[in-house]
């Protein structure tokens, strides 16, 4: 008999999948946004300045004032079920779990989601997976293009949570999928669907989240991954270079970030005679503040104010069927060899019958 606190070590290992997105405040209020920003901007992967320099700026200038300014922005995109990034990530997770069940037959692979900052936290979801008996885990940060500020930060949080466990699960991770054929095809299909519904615009803007330029100069491959994604997407759409632009949005602070900057490029495009500008944000797996408020509202107004007629935002892949299939295929690939066969199950059962605890 196995007593309380003991585990059945003859139990068949269970594999699971963990999707991790950036995160969101728990509510569109200043206190909730302040808690979120404190965790986010305290991450050394995100802001690598010396703490003696950064703490006074963060605690003296940013946290006291910025949350109040952001409350309206978050409120403008908040849905009945909460933050769009949270709801889309939840829906994507459910879709991937269903897709894996269909792909793998009777094998049941639980799929979880966590947020790097905010809730549900990586640590809380790891604890849940432990309770569910998951001994093998595939971690997929939902960042197609690798960056130390995103993917590496997720891995930091993952292994910090695992470091507290007596019996750690085996772990495999997907560090990037910026050039994955299914990901590129899903983006291309989204653009084509937009064109079919609204007509093709005069120009296509591919806007990625920016990072400080010195991070790239220090060896971060993010810029290169973004450029390759853009090139492959343009090739899939058969767009010549003159018909699309790559730019970087959401810069913060005074130091140089990756360029060209999206807001400046939007003004240039409008002034050059572009009337209908289609915009997509390929680095965002799910719609969020940066896509729905910054791009679809702020930048749309900026484009019109600069002489353009309309900036038409193409939604993120979210929980679309193509996106579900893409992430499920990545998960299945990394689950290879981890899912027991019927013969494995019989051997484990026979072995368990001979063991005594």
């Amino acid at each position: 008999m196995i007593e309380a606190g003991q585990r059945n070590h003859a139990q068949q290992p269970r594999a699971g999948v963990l999707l991790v997105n950036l995160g969101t405040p728990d509510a569109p209020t200043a206190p909730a946004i302040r808690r979120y920003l404190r965790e986010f901007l305290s991450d050394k992967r995100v802001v690598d300045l010396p703490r003696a320099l950064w703490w006074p700026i963060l605690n003296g200038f940013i946290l006291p004032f910025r949350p109040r300014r952001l409350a309206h922005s978050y409120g403008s995109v908040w849905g009945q079920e909460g933050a769009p990034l949270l709801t889309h990530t939840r829906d994507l997770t459910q879709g991937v779990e269903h897709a894996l069940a269909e792909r793998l037959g009777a094998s049941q692979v639980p799929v979880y989601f966590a947020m790097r900052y905010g809730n549900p936290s990586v640590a809380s979801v790891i604890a849940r997976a432990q309770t569910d008996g998951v001994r093998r885990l595939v971690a997929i940060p939902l960042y197609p293009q690798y960056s130390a500020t995103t993917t590496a930060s997720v891995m930091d949080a993952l292994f910090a949570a695992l470091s507290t466990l007596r019996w750690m699960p085996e772990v495999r991770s997907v560090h990037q999928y910026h050039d994955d054929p299914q990901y590129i095809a899903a983006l291309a299909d989204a653009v084509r669907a937009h064109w079919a519904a609204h007509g093709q615009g005069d120009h296509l803007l591919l806007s990625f989240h920016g990072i400080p330029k010195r991070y790239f100069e220090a060896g971060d491959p993010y810029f290169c991954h973004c450029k390759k994604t853009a090139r492959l997407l343009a090739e899939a759409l058969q767009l010549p270079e003159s018909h699309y632009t790559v730019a970087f949005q959401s810069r913060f602070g005074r130091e140089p970030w990756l360029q060209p900057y999206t807001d400046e490029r939007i003004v240039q495009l409008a002034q050059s005679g572009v009337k209908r500008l289609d915009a997509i944000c390929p680095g965002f797996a799910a719609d969020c503040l940066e896509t729905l408020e910054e791009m679809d509202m702020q930048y749309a107004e900026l484009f019109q104010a600069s002489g353009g007629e309309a900036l038409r935002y193409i939604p993120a892949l979210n929980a679309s069927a193509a996106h579900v299939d893409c992430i499920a295929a990545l998960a299945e690939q990394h689950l290879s060899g981890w899912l027991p066969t019927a013969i494995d199950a019989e051997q484990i059962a026979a072995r368990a019958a001979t063991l005594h605890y």
Side-chain angles (χ1 to χ4, degrees):
M1 178 180 293
I2 301 176
E3 298 178 357
Q6 292 182 310
R7 296 185 183 275
N8 183 358
H9 299 294
Q11 184 178 7
Q12 185 173 330
R14 192 180 191 192
V17 176
L18 173 63
L19 309 182
V20 186
N21 216 329
L22 182 75
T24 176
D26 293 324
T29 63
I33 296 170
R34 185 173 295 110
R35 289 193 301 271
Y36 171 74
L37 287 181
R38 179 177 289 111
E39 183 181 8
F40 175 43
L41 296 177
S42 296
D43 186 347
K44 291 184 178 180
R45 294 281 195 181
V46 175
V47 181
D48 67 353
L49 296 174
R51 300 297 95 172
L53 174 63
W54 178 237
W55 287 144
I57 298 174
L58 177 62
N59 294 290
F61 296 95
I62 296 176
L63 293 180
F65 305 108
R66 190 170 178 82
R68 289 199 295 270
R69 294 198 298 269
L70 285 175
H72 174 74
S73 297
Y74 274 104
S76 69
V77 302
W78 213 262
Q80 292 184 346
E81 298 182 12
L85 182 135
L86 179 67
T87 56
H88 289 312
T89 303
R90 182 193 302 123
D91 292 344
L92 176 63
T93 301
Q94 294 171 351
V96 171
E97 184 170 75
H98 179 71
L100 285 177
E102 290 187 337
R103 287 169 174 263
L104 303 174
S107 299
Q108 292 298 313
V109 178
V111 181
Y112 309 89
F113 77 92
M115 298 295 170
R116 174 59 183 91
Y117 314 103
N119 296 304
S121 68
V122 173
S124 68
V125 176
I126 290 296
R128 178 183 162 198
Q130 282 282 105
T131 300
D132 291 343
V134 171
R135 303 295 320 132
R136 292 167 170 169
L137 186 68
V138 173
I140 306 180
L142 291 174
Y143 308 111
Q145 299 78 25
Y146 175 94
S147 174
T149 61
T150 52
T151 310
S153 180
V154 166
M155 300 312 297
D156 289 344
L158 174 62
F159 283 102
L162 294 177
S163 70
T164 65
L165 303 179
R166 177 68 62 182
W167 189 8
M168 294 174 60
E170 295 178 79
V171 176
R172 294 174 181 171
S173 60
V174 177
H175 280 197
Q176 53 77 27
Y177 53 99
H178 70 283
D179 55 358
D180 180 81
Q182 284 192 252
Y183 162 67
I184 298 298
L187 291 174
D189 286 346
V191 176
R192 292 191 193 100
H194 169 82
W195 287 346
H198 306 286
Q200 184 171 344
D202 303 319
H203 198 83
L204 179 64
L205 173 67
L206 287 77
S207 182
F208 296 85
H209 199 292
I211 61 172
K213 183 180 178 182
R214 62 185 173 85
Y215 291 10
F216 166 65
E217 293 171 342
D220 196 305
Y222 178 72
F223 177 79
C224 301
H225 286 185
C226 293
K227 295 288 282 187
K228 187 174 184 181
T229 294
R231 176 176 61 81
L232 293 175
L233 177 56
E235 290 175 357
L237 296 170
Q238 298 183 326
L239 279 180
E241 289 188 19
S242 60
H243 284 59
Y244 74 94
T245 293
V246 179
F248 298 89
Q249 66 184 86
S250 309
R251 68 186 184 275
F252 179 77
R254 297 181 179 180
E255 69 173 306
W257 280 41
L258 296 180
Q259 296 185 34
Y261 299 136
T262 296
D263 54 352
E264 294 180 358
R265 191 70 181 110
I266 283 173
V267 172
Q268 293 168 358
L269 288 169
Q271 294 177 346
S272 70
V274 172
K275 295 303 181 182
R276 296 188 304 166
L277 178 62
D278 296 326
I280 189 170
C281 300
F284 295 88
D287 276 318
C288 56
L289 186 72
E290 286 80 3
T291 64
L292 298 176
E293 197 273 340
E294 185 176 21
M295 176 60 71
D296 199 24
M297 296 181 188
Q298 289 188 36
Y299 290 166
E301 292 179 2
L302 176 63
F303 183 67
Q304 288 185 317
S306 302
E309 292 180 1
L311 184 155
R312 294 104 57 88
Y313 171 62
I314 302 169
L317 295 178
N318 295 320
S320 64
H323 198 200
V324 166
D325 287 344
C326 172
I327 301 302
L330 285 173
E332 183 179 11
Q333 175 187 345
H334 287 77
L335 286 165
S336 177
W338 271 4
L339 300 178
T341 64
I343 295 176
D344 294 332
E346 292 175 1
Q347 291 176 342
I348 290 173
R351 176 60 176 162
T354 67
L355 298 177
H356 302 280
Y357 296 90

